[in-house]
């Protein structure tokens, strides 16, 4: 139960203020990558004005499975290390809980990847050289994009006909297995009361269409909820054709136990997918000056997005 409480306390990006750093000039453009329920899905494109390497990095703006435009300035500052190396960065804002649950958020980020790939020539990037990154909930969503199958959609939109795969993944302290969270057979879904108390119940409030009432209704059958929890867990999608994965995780993290990263790395090792787990001794869920460790992610993308 202690692990469940720790999980629910704070799946948010717990990143301290980052000092400004020198950066080469870059342009900033807001892009609509999709629409749903009458609302626009947006992302921010950050493009170096010189020395572009024609590679794209998707940075998932997400913490606690919430995505906010108000966080963009912080993400821009963090993106400068990528821009300085010639990467074009896309800050993807997805639909958030409490209105949207995790499966909806995964669909949003996949749409963003497809949109970027479809318009790659317009953005000056190679459509086959795209990486994805994120922290905590953003790391989870990044891994879902990187590891899950690229299923075709029924959409007539040509954007939805292109691949949502990426060529490299680099994340920080991500949840990876909602059925074995911190230990075997322990799931956050086992305590609905605690989910509600901590304000994250909506992220796990999976819904289905009710044809009788013409409404979306919450799925309450425990077995079905656990099946969906498995479907949104990156650990169950590992296959030999997955992109290289780099993870940074503090060994004192009580919010997302480092066990989450270790079990994913073990599965990647089993199928021989290139990977690396950087363990930060004594650190929890975010720490001061973590930009130092994040430089390793930049190097990872430079290596695998050649």
């Amino acid at each position: 139960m202690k692990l469940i409480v720790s999980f629910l306390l704070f799946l948010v990006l717990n990143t301290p203020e980052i000092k400004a750093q020198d950066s080469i000039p870059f342009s900033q453009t807001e892009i609509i990558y999709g629409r749903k329920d009458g609302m626009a899905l947006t992302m921010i494109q950050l493009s170096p004005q010189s020395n572009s390497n024609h590679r794209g990095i998707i940075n998932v703006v997400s913490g606690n499975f919430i995505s906010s435009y108000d966080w963009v300035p912080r993400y821009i500052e963090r993106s400068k290390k990528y821009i300085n190396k010639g990467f074009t960065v896309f800050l993807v804002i997805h639909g958030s809980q409490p209105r949207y649950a995790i499966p909806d958020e995964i669909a949003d980020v996949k749409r963003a990847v497809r949109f970027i790939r479809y318009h790659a020539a317009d953005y000056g990037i190679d459509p086959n050289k795209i990486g994805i990154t994120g922290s905590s909930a953003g790391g989870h969503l990044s891994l879902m994009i990187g590891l899950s199958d690229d299923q075709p959609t029924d959409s007539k939109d040509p954007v939805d006909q292109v691949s949502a795969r990426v060529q490299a993944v680099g994340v920080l302290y991500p949840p990876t297995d909602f059925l074995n969270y911190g230990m075997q057979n322990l799931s956050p879904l086992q305590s609905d009361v605690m989910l509600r108390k901590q304000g994250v119940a909506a992220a796990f409030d999976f819904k289905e269409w009710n044809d009788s009432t013409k409404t979306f209704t919450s799925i309450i059958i425990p077995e079905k909820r656990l099946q969906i929890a498995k479907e949104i867990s990156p650990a169950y999608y590992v296959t030999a054709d997955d992109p290289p994965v780099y993870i940074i995780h503090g060994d004192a993290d009580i919010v997302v136990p480092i066990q989450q990263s270790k079990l994913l790395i073990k599965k990647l090792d089993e199928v021989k997918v290139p990977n690396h787990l950087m363990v930060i001794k004594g650190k929890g869920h975010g720490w001061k000056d973590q930009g130092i460790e994040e430089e390793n992610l930049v190097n990872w993308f430079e290596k695998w997005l050649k």
Side-chain angles (χ1 to χ4, degrees), residues 7 11 65 100-107 110 136-137 139-145 147-148 174-179 181 187-189 200-207 224-237 260 264:
F7 164 77
L11 258 182
F65 297 107
Y100 298 105
I102 295 172
D104 305 302
E105 299 180 6
I106 294 169
K110 284 194 173 185
S136 194
H140 162 268
L141 294 171
S142 296
L143 287 169
M144 281 299 301
I145 301 307
L147 304 181
S148 63
T176 67
D177 187 347
F178 292 125
L179 298 186
Y181 199 82
S187 172
L189 277 71
V200 296
F204 297 90
D205 184 14
F206 313 131
K207 297 180 182 294
K224 197 166 184 178
R225 283 174 52 77
L226 287 175
Q227 177 58 38
I228 297 172
K230 181 177 181 180
E231 292 170 0
I232 62 172
S233 294
Y236 298 98
Y237 292 93
Q260 291 287 283
L264 184 67

Side-chain angles (χ1 to χ4, degrees), residues 249-253 256-263 277 279-280:
H249 210 135
D251 66 359
D253 194 337
V256 179
I258 195 171
Q259 167 260 4
Q260 291 287 283
S261 290
K262 288 182 175 179
L263 71 81
L277 173 59
V279 178
I280 311 301

